Amino acid sequence: MEQSRQAIEAQAGIPAWLATRADDRRTAILDAGKPVSWAELVRQTRSMAGGLAGLGVRAGDRVGLWLPNRTAWLVSFFACAQLGAIAVSVNTRFRSAEVGDLLRRSGAGVLVCWPGYKAIDFAGIAWQFLRALRHC
């Protein structure tokens, strides 16, 4: 079975590889000590891909991932792969000027973030660089 998964992955990449795990109830990762199954990871990935597609994200588009090392980051990365979009990782320690510069240079049109993670005001920081972009 594992050999066929490797063959699928080599031919079609992450989306096909994930599809082979859609019914797998085994633990894929631990998120804050809570097990997350492959099936749940695939379900969340499909949902996220649908949300990104609804925002107009298409193959080749860049999506900023300003997320901690949690399930949400992995789901967002896999969702980008499913759409053929390019995930642009943003360090959670970055602040307004750094995030704005990275997104501007990468051409990211969408930013995925986790408001309130560790009391970091991601939304407030994002508004700062968005206001600055209007003045460029």
Side-chain angles (χ1 to χ4, degrees):
M1 182 84 150
E2 190 60 35
Q3 194 170 28
S4 64
R5 284 186 180 163
Q6 289 174 350
I8 290 170
E9 181 180 357
Q11 292 174 2
I14 291 171
W17 174 73
L18 278 177
T20 66
R21 288 164 168 76
D23 297 319
D24 191 340
R25 300 285 176 210
R26 292 177 296 168
T27 299
I29 59 172
L30 294 175
D31 188 346
K34 179 184 172 200
V36 178
S37 72
W38 282 107
E40 179 61 17
L41 197 61
V42 170
R43 187 195 66 71
Q44 289 182 28
T45 295
R46 289 175 177 164
S47 178
M48 182 66 162
L52 290 173
L55 291 173
V57 174
R58 303 287 179 258
D61 290 347
R62 287 155 181 83
V63 176
L65 305 182
W66 197 15
L67 297 164
N69 293 330
R70 302 281 302 266
T71 302
W73 190 95
L74 195 55
V75 164
S76 299
F77 176 80
F78 286 160
C80 286
Q82 201 163 15
L83 296 172
I86 300 161
V88 178
S89 293
V90 181
N91 189 320
T92 56
R93 292 188 174 115
F94 281 4
R95 294 300 175 248
S96 177
E98 298 157 318
V99 174
D101 180 58
L102 178 63
L103 296 178
R104 198 172 20 259
R105 286 187 294 123
S106 71
V110 172
L111 176 64
V112 179
C113 66
W114 185 329
Y117 178 75
K118 287 194 175 184
I120 298 170
D121 183 15
F122 287 109
I125 295 167
W127 279 116
Q128 287 175 19
F129 71 75
L130 289 173
R131 278 196 304 269
L133 286 176
R134 288 187 208 161
H135 300 291
C136 292

